[in-house]
Amino acid sequence: MWGLKKVERLSAVFANHIILANHLWLEKYVLRSARKDKCSVFLNHVDSRLFEPRLRVKSNPRPLILFPGGLQWHQGVDIAIRAFEKLRRQLPGAQFHIYGEGNMKGSLRSLAGELGLNGSVHFFAPLALRDIAGVMANADLGVVPKRADSFGNEAYSTKIMEFMSVGVPVVVSNTKIDRYYFDESVVRFFESGNVDALSEAMLGLLTNEELRRGQIERASAYAARHSWKNHAADYLRLVDSLCEQS
């Protein structure tokens, strides 16, 4: 670890400017490697030309829960599958669709089978951004079940804003990073790793229409304010200023 930190500090010395992916990492970086005025934060903002509210074309009336993303341990998809098994006791027709690849995919398939969910948990290959945006727009609920005791605790999840942008409510693990950027007015938090809490949060958003509508309305406004369209100019100004210095 000390060697990596040394490389980080040396890289900061030679760099004209450092861009970091979120404000938590900015705080760490400034403490050990560079002045704050030499750093900027640019989140992975959503492209509103792809992720936007659209007419739903869902033909199946059964509740559809969706996870699109990498299938690694820190993503916590196994937690979501266990929570979904409990949810089905209340909503027997619910479906859970998982789009992605990763080293956990085989064990996640096995888990779904062990829990008797092969008819309601379905795995799909990753899709291009334009295509997954349409899939997300037709979901009834998005789930982001990251573990808070690993990399996921500080890694910003773009899929939260993608769900917001297409008008789908989302249940989110209460990781440090997501508590930093969001609150209960725009997402439904649950205790990371808590299967029962996740199941209850999903059930609440799927069965309480007033809660759903309120969250969708506030989250859509939040996503519009923080889209790439509203932040691109800041990035371009930074690039222009660096070009002028060279």
Side-chain angles (χ1 to χ4, degrees):
M1 181 63 74
W2 68 268
L4 291 175
K5 289 181 179 179
K6 185 174 182 179
V7 170
E8 179 182 282
R9 287 192 292 272
L10 287 172
S11 299
V13 170
F14 287 102
N16 295 96
H17 199 81
I18 298 101
I19 294 176
L20 295 112
N22 67 60
H23 289 85
L24 297 185
W25 290 347
L26 170 66
E27 293 170 6
K28 286 188 174 182
Y29 199 86
V30 167
L31 285 174
R32 68 191 186 199
S33 294
R35 305 185 316 272
K36 193 169 186 177
D37 62 356
K38 196 178 181 180
C39 302
S40 297
V41 171
F42 285 95
L43 299 176
N44 191 3
H45 293 289
V46 174
D47 187 344
S48 55
R49 295 172 299 178
L50 300 179
F51 293 89
E52 60 180 352
R54 61 183 72 192
L55 183 66
R56 289 167 62 88
V57 294
K58 181 184 172 189
S59 57
N60 193 325
R62 293 180 294 182
L64 174 59
I65 300 162
L66 187 70
F67 174 87
L71 303 181
Q72 293 82 31
W73 173 255
H74 74 270
Q75 296 284 9
V77 181
D78 57 310
I79 298 167
I81 291 175
R82 294 185 185 279
F84 177 74
E85 188 272 332
K86 292 180 175 291
L87 174 71
R88 284 188 73 248
R89 301 174 193 175
Q90 304 292 325
L91 298 175
Q95 295 277 303
F96 185 18
H97 290 186
I98 299 168
Y99 284 79
E101 295 289 346
N103 62 351
M104 291 290 294
K105 191 166 188 176
S107 61
L108 292 173
R109 285 184 184 274
S110 297
L111 176 61
E114 292 167 8
L115 295 175
L117 300 174
N118 283 339
S120 54
V121 174
H122 301 276
F123 292 85
F124 301 88
L127 296 176
L129 277 180
R130 189 176 299 278
D131 296 327
I132 196 63
V135 170
M136 293 171 77
N138 283 311
D140 295 293
L141 181 67
V143 60
V144 181
K146 293 184 301 179
R147 285 181 161 85
D149 57 357
S150 62
F151 170 75
N153 196 40
E154 295 186 0
Y156 182 79
S157 180
T158 310
K159 65 176 69 68
I160 297 174
M161 288 283 284
E162 291 172 347
F163 277 120
M164 289 180 174
S165 298
V166 297
V168 172
V170 57
V171 175
V172 178
S173 170
N174 63 344
T175 58
K176 185 177 180 181
I177 187 67
D178 294 319
R179 281 288 188 184
Y180 185 95
Y181 287 109
F182 308 111
D183 60 34
E184 291 280 1
S185 70
V186 295
V187 302
R188 179 73 180 270
F189 280 114
F190 75 96
E191 180 187 7
S192 175
N194 189 324
V195 171
D196 290 335
L198 175 52
S199 180
E200 291 170 7
M202 292 193 294
L203 180 65
L205 276 173
L206 288 170
T207 59
N208 187 325
E209 188 60 29
E210 183 179 355
L211 180 64
R212 282 178 60 82
R213 289 184 182 276
Q215 183 172 312
I216 290 171
E217 181 178 346
R218 292 185 297 270
S220 296
Y222 181 96
R225 291 195 303 272
H226 295 281
S227 70
W228 175 242
K229 177 182 178 181
N230 289 336
H231 288 271
D234 297 331
Y235 176 75
L236 293 176
R237 277 193 293 269
L238 173 61
V239 173
D240 287 342
S241 69
L242 294 174
C243 290
E244 290 171 1
Q245 296 171 21
S246 61

